Amino acid sequence: MASIQSIIDVTSISLFLYPKASYLPPVPPLIQTTNLTRSYRLGKKSLTVLEGVNLSINRGEKIFLCGPSGAGKTTLLYTLAGLETPQAGNVTIDGVDLYALSRAAQSRFRNQRIGYIFQNYHLLPELTALENVMVPGAIGGKHHHDQALAALSRVGLAERADHLPAELSGGEQQRVAIARAIVNEPDILFADEPTGNLDSHNSAAILDLLLQLVSEKNTTLIVVTHDQALARHGDRVLTIKDGIIA
Ligand SMILES: Nc1ncnc2c1ncn2[C@@H]1O[C@H](COP(=O)(O)OP(=O)(O)OP(=O)(O)O)[C@@H](O)[C@H]1O
Ligand SMILES: [Mg+2]
């Protein structure tokens, strides 16, 4: 049997010959875009919103995306999340070329891997808070009652489960939207101005909640905000202007 000393000797020699940096393969970014281009046709005119955006985002990063109104923040978020097909370029998530997938496969991928908090909540008005949070499960073919209730509890709204969106405050509706976005435990959470309609007290509470939820599971978080003070809570701030990331 090898002595402890000989094992230590062999280990030190290998560390000397192969320093860590040279034998550990580099970790590829979770999200990568190349030359992402998106324009809209308005009559005879074309409006270019994304002009060859190249981005790399690592797993677990917390990114804040800023830029003036109309700069293309929502368009970029939609395109990264598989909700809006670019005219050129591609989005690769965990090695999967998103827009090379069939529509059905894209939708499955989004349902399993991505959570999205829309700019204006986008709750279904005729469904209760709990039913809204059950929607992603239903899309994935599952009856998600218990998970949905657990997600509502995580955002402190279990007691409002049977309320319709119209019977909830703005901050509560936003929390339902967050619960719906996290119920499938996504790898990536996109949030488009999650505090845009809230006062400063509720904004801080929503941001704390988001950061707490993502740190529990090392979820990658990409948040659009106008608020530079909020943006300081992330790992990186990206600014979009004139179709490019400055
Ligand atoms: N479906 C569409 N058809 C035509 N133009 C569009 C469409 N969607 C967005 N645009 C235009 O693209 C530009 C970028 O829109 P986008 O919603 O991405 O901006 P934004 O940065 O999210 O703005 P805000 O901060 O006001 O939410 C705007 O000038 C908008 O008018
Ligand atoms: Mg927007």
Side-chain angles (χ1 to χ4, degrees):
M1 205 170 79
S3 71
I4 291 186
Q5 188 55 50
S6 65
I7 293 171
I8 293 171
D9 288 347
V10 168
T11 311
S12 356
I13 290 167
S14 358
L15 283 175
F16 176 73
L17 289 176
Y18 307 104
K20 213 174 174 189
S22 68
Y23 70 83
L24 277 183
V27 180
L30 180 63
I31 305 175
Q32 192 143 33
T33 75
T34 29
N35 189 34
L36 211 53
T37 305
R38 183 78 179 93
S39 57
Y40 295 109
R41 274 225 90 75
L42 295 165
K44 286 189 178 158
K45 285 195 187 154
S46 169
L47 171 72
T48 301
V49 181
L50 305 177
E51 209 163 352
V53 171
N54 295 301
L55 261 184
S56 286
I57 297 173
N58 294 321
R59 193 179 297 276
E61 258 197 303
K62 285 136 199 67
I63 304 270
F64 280 74
L65 177 63
C66 298
S69 181
K73 303 180 298 296
T74 297
T75 305
L76 177 59
L77 227 58
Y78 267 43
T79 315
L80 292 177
L83 293 167
E84 190 152 296
T85 312
Q87 273 101 1
N90 49 32
V91 176
T92 307
I93 299 182
D94 216 1
V96 175
D97 184 350
L98 200 52
Y99 292 101
L101 299 174
S102 68
R103 288 262 167 192
Q106 273 178 43
S107 152
R108 241 187 340 267
F109 188 90
R110 278 198 310 271
N111 186 248
Q112 290 165 359
R113 311 276 310 261
I114 291 173
Y116 199 101
I117 301 165
F118 291 89
Q119 191 159 3
N120 290 312
Y121 320 137
H122 273 313
L123 297 177
L124 296 169
E126 66 280 12
L127 300 186
T128 64
L130 181 64
E131 288 164 347
N132 265 286
V133 181
M134 287 170 68
V135 166
I139 291 172
K142 295 175 204 139
H143 186 66
H144 246 170
H145 178 276
D146 294 350
Q147 287 94 325
L149 199 55
L152 268 184
S153 300
R154 284 300 290 111
V155 301
L157 279 183
E159 287 177 4
R160 298 281 188 278
D162 296 327
H163 284 229
L164 292 170
E167 298 163 347
L168 296 168
S169 73
E172 288 171 343
Q173 289 182 53
Q174 189 58 297
R175 283 191 276 153
V176 175
I178 293 174
R180 183 180 58 183
I182 60 164
V183 70
N184 278 355
E185 302 194 341
D187 296 333
I188 308 166
L189 185 58
F190 293 98
D192 195 349
E193 305 234 23
T195 63
N197 301 321
L198 306 176
D199 59 46
S200 58
H201 173 74
N202 273 307
S203 291
I206 290 286
L207 186 72
D208 279 351
L209 176 64
L210 274 178
L211 290 172
Q212 195 187 328
L213 291 170
V214 294
S215 66
E216 283 167 12
K217 306 240 158 96
N218 198 31
T219 309
T220 305
L221 176 70
I222 302 159
V223 183
V224 168
T225 184
H226 276 116
D227 188 337
Q228 295 285 342
L230 288 189
R232 282 199 287 276
H233 293 265
D235 298 319
R236 205 154 41 116
V237 178
L238 301 175
T239 305
I240 184 165
K241 205 173 165 223
D242 300 328
I244 55 165
I245 301 287

